[in-house]
Amino acid sequence: MSASPAAAETVVVTAGQMVDVLAGREIAKPQITIVDGRITAVGHQGDAIPEGAKRIDLGERTLLPGLIDMHVHLTADPHFSGYTGLEFTDNFWTVVGVANAKRTLEAGFTTVRNVGSANYDDVALKQGIEHGYIAGPRIVPATYALGSTGGHCDATEFPPSITTPAANIANSPDEYRALVRKVHKYGAEVIKVCMTGGVLSKGDSVGAQQVSYDEIKAIVDEAHMLGLRVAVHAHGTAGINDALRVGVDTVEHASLADEESFKLAKAHGAWFDMDIYNDDYILAEGAKNGMFAESLAKEKMVGLKQRQTFRAAHAAGVKMLFGTDGGVYPNGDNARQFAKMVEWGMTPLEAIQAATRNAAEALDETADVGAIAAGRYGDLVAVDGDPLRDIRLLEHPAFVMKGGDVVKRP
């Protein structure tokens, strides 16, 4: 006899407890009903169960919403740093992205914002995942990160005799407006801008502003007109503050943000998205991975300062997100950042909320992700023990579900 529709489409999940990220508390003995991939009820064990539903009992484990990383590069692998990446064909990185997408999902991250990839690779990954060809998280793609000639997102490691494509480079407000329209045309759902210098780019100062006030204003105006949010890569103070003044939505890295930055962020409702784990990986592994010596020097200069800024921004009441810069360290190790966030000032609950409730709000996707709540996708993670007591439990999830489908079992 064939299974009834309820048996095929309805899943009921029970566990020892659940982290309610909206209420900021734990709930004992939860029972989650998922129909056609979305949560229809959040109750307690003993509540009525739909006839024919599939049962998943996670015992005494703790349930959390599927996690969200707001800053990844799925098509990057840090083992090929500096010039070592030139050994591969361009499409090699799409294949890398397929493997990293699966690894990231199995680590409990059911949604990611991919803030920069060449050749529209993140759109390709998103399409492959949505059509069932490969496994991976829900992807919010930025496509190319936009930048200025000679800046962090330009190819600055070659001599003048080698010409590099410039699909993402602009040098005036009008040119940037055109780029925003172009990447949106081909699938960008968020606009990423390289506002200042960076650690991994060659020949620039990590804090130097590279996009003018008029240029970033044009980008933000154009993106917001199209219904897109804007994320700026910004380490330096001046670049951070100009971006905040024109209404940018998220500031990535924010290493040298100051008190004025905190005031501007709070006044404009912007979020800080600070990758404070990967300093450990860069300094431990960067040299043997081929990273430029100047990049290592820049990381030594800015890494500790960024963590101090994270603590100060959190204490000042700036809205904070969970973003790791996956690809600068191995994708799939995303959850290692939680412990750093707690070490530098957050409670475990706040760190979890940064990767769930806050991230969903910053994405404008509170109807779909970021909490275990009726109407949202059945994206669930379970860990052995209580993550509010030991945040590092999130580094080894026992169970992962995306849209009602089990990705990883105990």
Side-chain angles (χ1 to χ4, degrees):
M1 182 177 177
S2 63
S4 68
E9 300 173 357
T10 302
V11 181
V12 173
V13 181
T14 52
Q17 57 189 349
M18 178 190 91
V19 179
D20 184 339
V21 296
L22 301 180
R25 61 190 177 94
E26 287 181 312
I27 294 174
K29 303 296 181 183
Q31 179 173 295
I32 317 301
T33 304
I34 300 165
V35 179
D36 290 334
R38 287 189 181 263
I39 297 169
T40 58
V42 179
H44 295 86
Q45 294 177 33
D47 292 348
I49 295 175
E51 184 178 353
K54 178 182 177 181
R55 299 285 304 273
I56 298 176
D57 181 16
L58 296 170
E60 293 305 309
R61 295 182 175 90
T62 301
L63 270 179
L64 304 97
L67 302 171
I68 303 169
D69 192 329
M70 293 289 285
H71 189 127
V72 301
H73 301 279
L74 290 174
T75 55
D77 187 329
H79 296 102
F80 307 114
S81 295
Y83 289 114
T84 64
L86 299 179
E87 299 174 12
F88 304 96
T89 186
D90 295 338
N91 289 68
F92 170 77
W93 305 106
T94 317
V95 179
V96 168
V98 171
N100 284 338
K102 182 175 185 291
R103 191 174 295 118
T104 300
L105 177 60
E106 290 174 349
F109 289 82
T110 53
T111 301
V112 299
R113 190 176 62 163
N114 199 87
V115 284
S117 67
N119 305 316
Y120 302 96
D121 283 342
D122 52 359
V123 178
L125 291 174
K126 175 185 174 73
Q127 292 170 339
I129 291 165
E130 290 180 346
H131 287 275
Y133 288 97
I134 62 173
R138 308 178 195 283
I139 296 176
V140 178
T143 73
Y144 286 93
L146 312 185
S148 300
T149 298
H152 175 64
C153 288
D154 196 3
T156 57
E157 63 268 36
F158 304 112
S161 57
I162 297 178
T163 303
T164 53
N168 60 323
I169 301 303
N171 292 291
S172 71
D174 284 345
E175 288 182 5
Y176 273 113
R177 285 184 184 275
L179 271 187
V180 170
R181 294 174 183 177
K182 176 182 168 184
V183 296
H184 176 239
K185 174 182 178 179
Y186 294 117
E189 296 175 15
V190 61
I191 300 300
K192 167 74 176 298
V193 184
C194 297
M195 189 73 191
T196 76
V199 169
L200 300 186
S201 44
K202 196 170 177 58
D204 63 357
S205 167
V206 70
Q209 186 165 341
Q210 297 176 344
V211 175
S212 72
Y213 177 91
D214 289 341
E215 287 170 335
I216 190 62
K217 186 176 189 306
I219 292 166
V220 171
D221 287 349
E222 191 69 27
H224 286 177
M225 183 176 72
L226 294 171
L228 303 175
R229 299 191 175 190
V230 180
V232 291
H233 158 106
H235 288 282
T237 311
I240 291 169
N241 292 349
D242 266 2
L244 289 168
R245 289 185 188 105
V246 301
V248 72
D249 300 286
T250 72
V251 178
E252 314 302 303
H253 312 299
S255 302
L256 305 178
D258 62 6
E259 292 293 334
E260 183 180 6
S261 311
F262 303 159
K263 292 177 183 177
L264 287 167
K266 291 164 69 176
H268 291 275
W271 302 84
F272 278 13
D273 192 24
M274 302 181 68
D275 52 329
I276 62 169
Y277 159 68
N278 64 27
D279 178 65
D280 288 2
Y281 182 85
I282 290 171
L283 297 183
E285 306 292 333
K288 69 180 182 183
N289 289 343
M291 188 173 286
F292 298 130
E294 74 174 80
S295 294
L296 291 168
K298 286 191 280 187
E299 183 62 33
K300 290 174 183 176
M301 179 193 77
V302 81
L304 176 59
K305 176 58 180 172
Q306 185 193 36
R307 292 173 175 182
Q308 293 168 337
T309 301
F310 176 91
R311 180 164 57 194
H314 173 253
V318 176
K319 298 192 298 182
M320 308 291 281
L321 299 169
F322 182 98
T324 65
D325 215 355
V328 172
Y329 67 89
N331 282 287
D333 290 343
N334 313 57
R336 293 187 181 186
Q337 180 162 290
F338 284 112
K340 287 296 174 186
M341 296 171 83
V342 172
E343 178 183 345
W344 288 91
M346 283 189 171
T347 66
L349 177 62
E350 287 173 329
I352 291 167
Q353 288 173 324
T356 53
R357 180 197 68 181
N358 296 7
E361 184 178 338
L363 290 173
D364 194 24
E365 293 190 7
T366 55
D368 293 328
V369 297
I372 301 174
R376 306 199 196 200
Y377 287 119
D379 296 350
L380 305 175
V381 173
V383 296
D384 295 307
D386 185 354
L388 299 188
R389 294 180 180 272
D390 181 3
I391 194 68
R392 298 200 67 170
L393 293 172
L394 293 175
E395 297 174 16
H396 306 285
F399 172 85
V400 179
M401 171 181 278
K402 177 191 168 192
D405 293 328
V406 176
V407 172
K408 181 178 182 180
R409 294 184 180 275

